[in-house]
């Protein structure tokens, strides 16, 4: 049991399939964790929805459970930080708090045809120059428009000022503060396709293009700073809400990637790579996204972002679809049982290829099979594909930003695989570093909140908490490295349709 004098910071980690609360101490160590899953709704093919009330109740429930598990009182929480699934949108009535529809999730493709029409009309350059984003149904703008166009009475109510719209962080803050704060932070705003990342404001031309009344949208605030205090029956007391960041930006902050050129890769179901590019936004020439890394009180820092569509999902494919491994952990054992793939390459383009290829029509392929190919070779080639895809994105980032890569910091489920991380280091020719604490998304939100209330005094103090679990040094065999990369690029070129 903790004493009343001890204080902590809570991170609300609101994800696509579950809501978690993690409570951290001053050393950045986990005190307790609680997690609640909630239903995924698929009303039509390609549509993905969440009930906003499920999001809220699951998040509140996890907070209560985490506090109980920690054996502390709510008054011992110095601050709350929020990190969230990005791009998902909620529209609700400002008087009653009732959502007018289910939330439209970032994965939902219902507005793809509308986005295609905007591209045909020649809107791409205007959108990208203002937002740093490539026009896509992935982002929030067309989702809000769809609700206004398809929910009875929604547009009229929005024009009257009766409706509010926001990403999931905004929905949580509004409810946690009893409706007192309608805010979002810069990182989440930069994912809506409505926010001008240069002027740091909602863009009038984009609002007009998508037909979104500006009075619906939240005030945009820094990622660190008190935006309100809790005023909800499920939370005792008035706890400052003091940090907000989208999940991948929160992970970048949690990995202490504070200097230009620092990169993190989250090996999740997909792979999410972000490079800190400093205080100047960098326009990608290769289809990477330019986004806000963090909004600090004294400056805004930007990032380049690239996504690998299939990362850890390729290991799940080996287990669940092919049935050639029993567990993800077994993949490392099998990969190490052979000296190489014997020329086998797996291109896991199950849903197309992302940056730098951008071919949505490409499909997965295996190259180089012989009678001597075993399941161990196939498993090893699949693991190597995760590293090859990350290599392609990182080298593209370096070219766009003109920045060297001193080390790659990693997290996510597949970062537990030592074979993968050593192979990644060999490909990149630089060290790959795995921290002791890989819950970097929640930790980033906690740091942002704690800095705002003085729980941590500076970025230097935060960085002192970051501890290395293992550092993977690259193999100096440059000839072998180039041969592997050339073989991978040959395999990809055979896969591309465009």
């Amino acid at each position: 049991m903790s004493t009343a004098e001890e204080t902590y910071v809570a991170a609300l980690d609101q994800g696509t399939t579950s809501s978690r609360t993690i409570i951290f101490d001053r050393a950045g160590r986990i005190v307790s964790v609680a997690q609640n899953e909630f239903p995924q709704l698929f009303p039509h093919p390609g549509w993905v929805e969440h009930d906003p009330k499920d999001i809220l109740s699951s998040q509140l429930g996890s907070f209560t459970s985490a506090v109980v598990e920690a054996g502390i009182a709510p008054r011992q929480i110095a601050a709350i930080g929020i990190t969230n699934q990005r791009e998902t949108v909620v529209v609700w009535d400002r008087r009653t708090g009732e959502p007018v529809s289910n939330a439209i999730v970032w994965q939902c493709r219902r507005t793809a045809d509308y986005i295609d029409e905007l591209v045909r009309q020649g809107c791409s350059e205007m959108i990208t120059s203002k937002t740093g984003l490539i026009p896509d149904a992935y982002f929030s703008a067309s989702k809000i428009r769809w609700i206004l166009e398809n929910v009875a009475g929604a547009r009229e109510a929005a024009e009257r000022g009766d409706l509010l719209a926001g990403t999931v962080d905004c929905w949580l803050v509004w409810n946690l503060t009893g409706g007192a704060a309608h805010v979002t932070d810069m990182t989440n705003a930069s994912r809506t396709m409505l926010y001008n990342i240069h002027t740091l404001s909602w863009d009038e031309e984009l609002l007009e293009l998508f037909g979104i009344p500006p009075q619906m949208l939240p005030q945009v605030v820094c990622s660190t700073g008190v935006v309100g205090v809790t005023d909800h029956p499920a939370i005792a007391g008035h706890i400052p809400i003091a940090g907000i960041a989208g999940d991948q930006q929160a992970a970048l902050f949690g990995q202490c990637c504070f200097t230009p050129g620092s990169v993190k890769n989250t090996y999740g179901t997909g792979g999410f790579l972000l490079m800190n590019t400093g205080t100047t936004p960098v326009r990608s020439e290769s289809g990477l996204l330019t986004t806000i890394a963090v909004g600090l009180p004294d400056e805004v820092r930007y990032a380049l972002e690239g996504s690998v569509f299939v990362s850890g999902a390729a290991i799940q494919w080996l287990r669940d679809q092919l049935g050639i491994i029993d567990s993800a952990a077994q993949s490392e054992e099998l990969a190490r049982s052979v000296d190489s793939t014997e020329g086998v390459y797996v291109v896991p383009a199950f849903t197309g290829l992302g940056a730098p290829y951008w071919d949505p029509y490409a499909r997965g392929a295996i190259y180089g099979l012989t009678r001597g190919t075993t399941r161990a070779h196939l498993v090893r080639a699949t693991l190597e594909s995760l590293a090859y895809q990350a290599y392609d994105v990182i080298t593209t980032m370096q070219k766009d930003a003109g920045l060297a890569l001193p080390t790659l910091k990693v997290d996510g489920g597949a970062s537990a695989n030592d074979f993968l991380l050593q192979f990644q280091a060999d490909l990149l020719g630089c060290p790959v570093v795995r921290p002791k604490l890989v819950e970097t998304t929640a930790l980033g939100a906690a740091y942002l909140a704690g800095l705002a209330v003085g729980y941590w005094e500076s970025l230097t103090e935060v960085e002192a908490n970051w501890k290395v679990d293992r550092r993977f040094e690259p193999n100096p065999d440059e000839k072998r490295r180039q041969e592997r990369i050339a073989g991978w690029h040959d395999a990809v070129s055979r896969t591309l349709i465009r």
Side-chain angles (χ1 to χ4, degrees):
M1 178 71 70
S2 301
T3 65
E5 286 72 35
E6 293 175 292
T7 57
Y8 308 88
V9 174
L12 307 187
D13 184 359
Q14 204 300 299
T16 307
T17 60
S18 68
S19 299
R20 299 193 305 163
T21 296
I22 303 183
I23 295 177
F24 295 94
D25 67 11
R26 208 172 297 274
R29 295 175 300 215
I30 293 175
V31 177
S32 67
V33 182
Q35 179 171 339
N36 292 325
E37 294 187 357
F38 57 88
Q40 306 296 297
L41 307 174
F42 308 100
H44 301 287
W47 292 29
V48 188
E49 298 181 353
H50 294 153
D51 184 333
K53 292 183 178 179
D54 288 341
I55 292 175
L56 179 61
S57 63
S58 62
Q59 191 66 76
L60 289 169
S62 73
F63 177 83
T64 300
S65 297
V67 169
V68 170
E69 182 186 327
I72 62 176
R75 66 177 179 274
Q76 291 176 259
I77 303 295
I80 290 173
I82 295 174
T83 183
N84 55 286
Q85 53 167 312
R86 303 177 302 174
E87 296 93 20
T88 297
V89 295
V90 184
V91 175
W92 68 98
D93 189 301
R94 70 162 67 237
R95 300 161 304 173
T96 66
E98 287 293 315
V100 302
S101 70
N102 283 331
I104 301 181
V105 179
W106 60 272
Q107 300 159 313
C108 188
R109 303 302 299 172
R110 74 184 66 182
T111 61
D113 289 345
Y114 171 70
I115 294 294
D116 288 344
E117 180 58 32
L118 291 182
V119 172
R120 284 191 292 270
Q121 292 173 10
C123 297
S124 294
E125 174 57 28
M126 184 269 284
I127 291 172
T128 300
S129 66
K130 290 172 178 284
T131 68
L133 308 177
I134 297 169
D136 198 276
Y138 176 47
F139 304 110
S140 308
S142 62
K143 303 179 193 300
I144 299 173
R145 177 187 180 276
W146 189 94
I147 291 172
L148 294 180
E149 293 295 320
N150 291 275
V151 174
R155 177 161 295 284
E156 293 77 12
E159 296 287 357
R160 290 195 305 268
D162 291 340
L163 298 187
L164 302 177
T167 44
V168 170
D169 59 304
C170 183
W171 167 247
L172 291 176
V173 170
W174 192 87
N175 280 281
L176 289 172
T177 61
H182 183 42
V183 302
T184 190
D185 91 298
M186 292 180 182
T187 69
N188 279 293
S190 73
R191 311 297 295 190
T192 61
M193 218 159 64
L194 296 169
Y195 189 71
N196 191 314
I197 62 172
H198 308 284
T199 63
L200 303 179
S201 61
W202 299 118
D203 190 273
E204 291 182 7
E205 188 176 7
L206 290 171
L207 292 175
E208 184 176 350
L209 177 67
F210 287 98
I212 297 173
Q215 60 266 30
M216 296 182 73
L217 297 177
Q219 176 189 359
V220 181
V221 298
C222 292
S223 307
T224 179
V226 177
V227 299
V229 296
T230 56
D231 184 14
H232 192 282
I235 298 178
H238 300 289
I239 304 169
I241 300 171
I244 307 171
D247 53 10
Q248 297 310 318
Q249 288 98 329
L252 188 72
F253 200 82
Q255 283 278 33
C256 297
C257 292
F258 300 146
T259 57
S262 53
V263 181
K264 73 88 186 173
N265 185 18
T266 299
Y267 299 91
T269 301
F272 296 93
L273 297 103
L274 270 76
M275 170 187 275
N276 182 328
T277 60
T279 56
T280 303
V282 173
R283 174 82 179 258
S284 174
E285 299 301 323
S286 308
L288 300 179
L289 304 179
T290 305
T291 195
I292 293 179
V294 65
L296 300 174
D298 55 343
E299 65 182 16
V300 175
R301 297 181 184 177
Y302 294 87
L304 281 172
E305 177 173 336
S307 297
V308 172
F309 295 162
V310 175
S311 188
I315 302 172
Q316 295 170 335
W317 168 70
L318 294 174
R319 182 192 65 197
D320 300 338
Q321 274 71 45
L322 298 190
I324 62 175
I325 60 172
D326 297 322
S327 66
Q330 189 185 14
S331 65
E332 180 172 354
E333 176 188 345
L334 280 168
R336 290 186 184 281
S337 71
V338 290
D339 292 333
S340 74
T341 67
E342 299 292 342
V344 175
Y345 287 88
V346 173
V347 183
F350 303 144
T351 56
L353 286 171
Y357 304 105
W358 294 111
D359 187 345
Y361 303 105
R363 288 297 176 263
I366 304 171
Y367 297 98
L369 294 174
T370 69
R371 280 291 301 273
T373 301
T374 68
R375 69 170 181 149
H377 294 116
L378 186 56
V379 168
R380 179 171 176 136
T382 302
L383 280 179
E384 289 183 358
S385 76
L386 276 62
Y388 284 124
Q389 292 178 100
Y391 167 87
D392 284 341
V393 174
I394 290 168
T395 53
T396 302
M397 286 178 168
Q398 291 176 284
K399 180 181 176 181
D400 283 339
L403 295 169
L405 178 67
T407 60
L408 173 66
K409 294 181 176 180
V410 298
D411 52 60
S415 69
N417 191 306
D418 289 352
F419 169 83
L420 169 62
L421 299 192
Q422 183 59 59
F423 189 78
Q424 187 77 82
D426 294 345
L427 278 188
L428 291 170
C430 77
V432 171
V433 183
R434 180 176 61 209
K436 284 187 177 295
L437 180 64
V438 295
E439 293 286 1
T440 54
T441 301
L443 184 59
Y447 282 152
L448 289 167
L451 285 165
V453 299
Y455 188 79
W456 292 288
E457 294 295 334
S458 65
L459 294 181
T460 302
E461 184 180 353
V462 163
E463 201 162 16
N465 283 343
W466 194 87
K467 300 291 189 298
V468 174
D469 173 56
R470 184 168 173 183
R471 182 182 177 94
F472 298 83
E473 296 291 343
N475 186 314
D477 189 343
E478 180 63 16
K479 180 174 182 290
R480 179 66 180 129
R481 186 175 85 94
Q482 292 299 335
E483 288 174 348
R484 286 168 162 168
I485 293 166
W488 164 254
H489 287 156
D490 180 59
V492 171
S493 70
R494 296 169 186 268
T495 306
L496 296 172
I497 304 298
R498 284 186 170 178

